[in-house]
Amino acid sequence: MAKMQENWRDVIADRLRERNKNESARFADIIHYNNRLFDTAAKLRQENLDLKIDKKIRDSVNVTGTGGSGAGYGTDVAAITNAQIQSLEKKVLAQQEELTDLHKRKGEHSQMVITLNQKLTDLQRLLIEKERVLTEKTALCVTLKEELDELKASHVTIKDESLASQLRANTAEDKLRAVQDENTKLLNLLMEYKSRDAEIMNKENDKFVKEKKARIESELERAIRDIPGPSSLGPDLDRFDVDGLPEGVEFKFDAHDGEVNAVRWSPIERIVATGGADRKVKLWDVGKGDNSSNPCDSTSS
């Protein structure tokens, strides 16, 4: 990571140097011309100083050489010197104008240099800000990479847990199937036990019915024994066997609409009471075989 940062820093530095070189190349001629003007101005100052010194020397010579035979020569020298001085003054004025123009250009160039320096400062500040942002992004990238590694590790862990859960689910399904098979076996066994219980209950019911039937027969037999003899019951009762139960139908009554649920013999009279599914109780005269003249007929509420 440090090597990568050094590489991009070197790349940015090389680009800045290249851009500075390109920007400076545009003003190379102006800078060279400005330096040449400074050199020319210095040279002109030196020539002006030499001319001033020469002028002073000539003035001193003219003052000392006035009168006598040297008057004509002095006049010629003075004329030549004045012409040279005027020419030099014109040249100095031109050089001063050129120097003023150069100073003006120098000011413009200085302003351009200041502007460029300001731009360079802004670019450097922007570069620093970009470097700071890049550093933050790099740190964020490193953090995200670490989080990604953690997520990958978590993904692997979750995948392993998912496989373990699937194995546990398969084991649970196998256990469930085993339990269902066991439940089926238990259900079949329960049905078998219930069938056996039903058979036992049927046998007990049959036994109970038989015992109830035997008890009813015993009660009927006891009731018959309690009935007076055939001589007192009339000629129609001579057919009863006193020693046992009747073997056939002695009397037939159309007693009730539906089943007859109860029969009771009177111990003192020749009366039989019956109760049926029609919710009625009827009294029957055994001697007559009906209840048409019996006022004891009643309807149960």
Side-chain angles (χ1 to χ4, degrees), residues 43-55:
K43 185 177 180 181
L44 288 175
R45 290 193 191 94
Q46 186 64 34
E47 289 180 359
N48 191 12
L49 181 61
D50 293 340
L51 288 173
K52 286 180 180 180
I53 294 171
D54 190 16
K55 182 178 179 182

Side-chain angles (χ1 to χ4, degrees), residues 4 28 33 55 75 78 118 123 129-130 149 178 250 255 265 283 285 293:
M4 185 182 295
Y33 186 61
K55 182 178 179 182
T75 302
Q118 184 65 32
L123 290 174
E129 183 67 21
K130 294 292 184 181
D149 294 336
E250 298 294 335
W265 293 83
L283 298 179
D285 189 349
S293 61

Side-chain angles (χ1 to χ4, degrees), residues 153-171:
S154 301
H155 177 69
V156 173
T157 304
I158 292 172
K159 188 175 181 181
D160 295 338
E161 291 179 354
S162 177
L163 292 175
S165 299
Q166 187 174 2
L167 292 175
R168 288 195 296 269
N170 293 331
T171 305

Side-chain angles (χ1 to χ4, degrees), residues 68-250:
S69 59
Y73 176 76
T75 302
D76 294 336
V77 171
I80 292 171
T81 304
N82 289 329
Q84 290 179 352
I85 289 172
Q86 290 177 357
S87 176
L88 290 173
E89 288 178 352
K90 291 179 180 180
K91 190 173 181 180
V92 168
L93 289 174
Q95 292 294 331
Q96 287 179 351
E97 291 178 356
E98 187 176 1
L99 182 62
T100 303
D101 189 18
L102 289 175
H103 281 296
K104 184 178 178 180
R105 291 185 179 181
K106 179 182 177 182
E108 293 176 354
H109 294 162
S110 299
Q111 185 63 35
M112 291 177 66
V113 169
I114 292 171
T115 304
L116 291 174
N117 288 329
Q118 184 65 32
K119 289 182 179 181
L120 181 61
T121 304
D122 295 337
L123 290 174
Q124 288 177 349
R125 189 181 300 110
L126 181 61
L127 178 61
I128 293 171
E129 183 67 21
K130 294 292 184 181
E131 288 179 353
R132 184 183 65 80
V133 174
L134 182 61
T135 303
E136 293 177 356
K137 296 294 184 181
T138 304
L140 181 60
C141 182
V142 172
T143 304
L144 291 175
K145 187 176 181 181
E146 293 176 354
E147 291 180 356
L148 181 61
D149 294 336
E150 292 178 357
L151 289 174
K152 287 181 178 179
S154 301
H155 177 69
V156 173
T157 304
I158 292 172
K159 188 175 181 181
D160 295 338
E161 291 179 354
S162 177
L163 292 175
S165 299
Q166 187 174 2
L167 292 175
R168 288 195 296 269
N170 293 331
T171 305
E173 288 180 356
D174 295 337
K175 290 182 179 179
L176 178 61
R177 282 194 292 268
V179 170
Q180 288 178 349
D181 294 337
E182 186 176 358
N183 288 337
T184 303
K185 292 179 180 179
L186 291 175
L187 184 61
N188 294 330
L189 186 60
L190 179 62
M191 294 299 293
E192 185 178 353
Y193 286 159
K194 285 186 176 181
S195 177
R196 292 178 182 178
D197 292 339
E199 291 178 358
I200 293 172
M201 289 180 65
N202 289 332
K203 291 179 180 180
E204 290 179 354
N205 289 333
D206 293 339
K207 183 179 180 181
F208 176 75
V209 169
K210 290 179 180 180
E211 290 178 353
K212 187 176 181 181
K213 184 177 179 181
R215 188 171 59 253
I216 292 172
E217 290 177 354
S218 176
E219 289 179 357
L220 289 174
E221 185 178 356
R222 204 167 42 249
I224 290 171
R225 290 195 186 99
D226 292 338
I227 296 174
S231 59
S232 62
L233 294 176
D236 292 334
L237 294 179
D238 292 338
R239 293 167 292 178
F240 281 106
D241 187 4
V242 179
D243 295 331
L245 293 174
E247 295 180 356
V249 178
E250 298 294 335

